[in-house]
Amino acid sequence: MTTQLKSGHTAEPLSDEESARILKDFPGQVDGLVRVQPGGWILPTPYLEIADKIYDFKFHESDVVVMTHPKCGTTWTQEILWNMVHNPNIDSPAAEEAVNGRSPYLEVDMFFMGKMKEMILSDTSNPMLKQFAELCPGANPADGIEIQRVAAMPGIRIFKTHLTFPLLPPDLLDTTKVVYVGRNPKDMCISYNHHYRISRTLDFQGDMDLFVDYLTNDELLYGPYWDHIKEGWKRRDHPGLYVLFFENLKADPMAEVRELDKFLDTDLTEEQMTKVIEHTSFDKMKARDAFFPMNEEMKKKIMNQEVVQKEGGFFRKGQVGDFKNKLTPAQESKIDAWTKMNAEGMGIEFKYSI
Ligand code: A3P
């Protein structure tokens, strides 16, 4: 069945053959996937329930949106921006809440509407649910907890989204500020592979050869990666957009935080910027290990503990060039060919080492 979306796109479930194959290789992905055209964007089926609400979402002038393809440095950038805006002296008790509670994930309801629903709703300690109850009395959770909570959230909102520009309000850049974060495709691939293996809701069963096939066939969630990057990069001259690269942030965080300070008009002192950088270093964020508001019991349920113990959790390595330890020459060649085919003429040069 084809679904018509307000954005002008249409969405179709994957074919039976594709769905069966994906369910075999990713048995956690039980909610199913849709392909949104034009673009071929791969999203979980419950996206259809919130797509129009997101397209119509009313952003404020003061909002900041962190937009990325998954595993390109979203959480790191959210944490930097949130602290620059709300906690420049690193003394706010509010900073103790997990990043994605303070800095909302715009479309996260699509992950709560399917298989995870009961589990998420059962955690009464979740600050997102508490704030939803406080800010949205009488609202129906079935209409989307996060989308209703963020609409009512006071103050400057620092959003996360993995959705690409064409699926968001067309006046987004004229209304608010967007920081688009890109990362080289090989490190992103390694990081995404890890994510697909630690997340029980995805539960990838195959080896790296198969994962590289899925990536280069544009069959992973939120892909196609290159089109996502293109949609950000082609808007780079818009004054509402700042394009940030994971590799540059890693190489010289102060230079990037100075640029972000100008972009956001936060007017921080050098001392404040230094504090923000320290507080958001990989080691500090890994030690806090607080990316999503959930209790330890739930974390254990949704993350594959065996992989976490052996290869790290959400904050895995945080490096540039780790793909050199993980990809075979044949896998690299496949990604190189895919890159050549997609990035030609784009004028974008990713760094693969720093
Ligand atoms: P690795 O898997 O390579 O370690 P996202 O937030 O978009 O999902 O991206 C996750 C990637 O960013 C992971 O990469 C994670 O370790 C890395 N990351 C998170 N916080 C970081 C930080 N403070 N510094 C450097 N990398 C960070």
Side-chain angles (χ1 to χ4, degrees):
M1 197 186 76
T2 304
T3 307
Q4 181 68 47
L5 305 178
K6 271 194 175 177
S7 59
H9 294 79
T10 54
E12 294 209 14
L14 305 189
S15 69
D16 289 348
E17 177 277 319
E18 214 175 1
S19 297
R21 171 169 52 78
I22 287 177
L23 201 55
K24 176 172 77 59
D25 294 332
F26 306 88
Q29 226 163 218
V30 293
D31 291 336
L33 296 170
V34 291
R35 189 173 268 119
V36 176
Q37 302 288 13
W41 309 107
I42 302 287
L43 292 162
T45 306
Y47 167 69
L48 301 180
E49 292 180 50
I50 54 162
D52 290 349
K53 290 184 186 138
I54 286 178
Y55 190 71
D56 284 340
F57 190 77
K58 299 280 173 263
F59 284 95
H60 303 160
E61 208 185 316
S62 60
D63 291 335
V64 186
V65 179
V66 177
M67 183 192 291
T68 62
H69 180 279
K71 311 321 284 179
C72 289
T74 330
T75 319
W76 186 13
T77 309
Q78 284 171 273
E79 192 64 315
I80 291 174
L81 300 187
W82 188 88
N83 282 286
M84 288 177 75
V85 169
H86 293 294
N87 187 26
N89 297 316
I90 314 298
D91 55 2
S92 165
E96 282 164 26
E97 188 183 335
V99 188
N100 286 294
R102 288 174 273 126
S103 167
Y105 182 5
L106 184 65
E107 68 273 16
V108 77
D109 285 316
M110 68 189 187
F111 296 108
F112 296 170
M113 285 171 159
K115 160 189 163 173
M116 302 238 312
K117 190 170 163 184
E118 298 309 320
M119 194 172 30
I120 295 287
L121 293 178
S122 69
D123 178 9
T124 49
S125 69
N126 186 329
M128 274 167 54
L129 297 181
K130 281 187 180 161
Q131 204 186 28
F132 170 71
E134 278 162 26
L135 293 179
C136 314
N140 182 358
D143 293 335
I145 293 169
E146 193 63 338
I147 197 93
Q148 297 187 85
R149 174 181 86 114
V150 295
M153 204 181 210
I156 300 177
R157 302 173 300 181
I158 313 289
F159 287 95
K160 152 185 176 174
T161 185
H162 290 314
L163 293 175
T164 173
F165 274 108
L167 303 179
L168 291 163
D171 61 353
L172 181 69
L173 282 178
D174 301 316
T175 315
T176 183
K177 292 190 165 97
V178 177
V179 176
Y180 186 91
V181 193
R183 187 180 193 186
N184 81 60
K186 296 182 188 176
D187 281 322
M188 182 280 297
C189 170
I190 296 303
S191 189
Y192 212 6
N193 175 267
H194 180 69
H195 187 88
Y196 260 97
R197 288 166 55 246
I198 55 172
S199 308
R200 292 246 185 242
T201 54
L202 300 165
D203 213 9
F204 178 56
Q205 300 293 309
D207 58 11
M208 191 61 88
D209 275 341
L210 185 64
F211 193 79
V212 170
D213 284 348
Y214 269 101
L215 175 67
T216 54
N217 287 335
D218 298 324
E219 283 184 304
L220 298 179
L221 267 181
Y222 287 112
Y225 162 87
W226 277 109
D227 292 302
H228 202 296
I229 297 280
K230 260 179 224 167
E231 291 295 342
W233 185 240
K234 74 183 186 194
R235 293 168 169 85
R236 66 192 175 280
D237 293 329
H238 194 293
L241 179 67
Y242 184 74
V243 179
L244 175 68
F245 292 100
F246 184 101
E247 295 78 16
N248 293 347
L249 187 58
K250 188 78 190 174
D252 190 350
M254 186 50 109
E256 286 302 338
V257 167
R258 279 202 194 104
E259 290 301 317
L260 290 168
D261 183 55
K262 279 188 238 157
F263 180 64
L264 300 181
D265 284 326
T266 32
D267 209 14
L268 302 192
T269 63
E270 289 279 310
E271 192 193 343
Q272 288 174 321
M273 289 192 252
T274 304
K275 278 189 184 170
V276 169
I277 290 168
E278 274 172 24
H279 185 68
T280 59
S281 70
F282 179 75
D283 289 345
K284 289 269 173 73
M285 287 184 67
K286 182 180 164 80
R288 292 195 291 276
D289 195 24
F291 63 98
F292 210 78
M294 64 181 134
N295 58 33
E296 286 305 310
E297 190 194 340
M298 190 169 331
K299 215 184 242 179
K300 286 211 171 86
K301 269 193 209 152
I302 72 163
M303 290 171 85
N304 183 325
Q305 294 306 308
E306 211 182 306
V307 183
V308 170
Q309 298 307 327
K310 276 198 202 135
E311 296 170 51
F314 184 87
F315 299 94
R316 192 187 61 93
K317 279 206 168 167
Q319 289 176 2
V320 178
D322 187 44
F323 68 87
K324 289 176 194 141
N325 304 315
K326 303 271 181 183
L327 294 177
T328 63
Q331 290 157 356
E332 274 205 60
S333 299
K334 205 169 235 178
I335 297 180
D336 287 339
W338 176 64
T339 297
K340 190 162 184 290
M341 193 173 74
N342 284 284
E344 213 154 56
M346 233 175 104
I348 194 167
E349 289 285 340
F350 279 112
K351 291 181 186 151
Y352 292 84
S353 61
I354 53 171

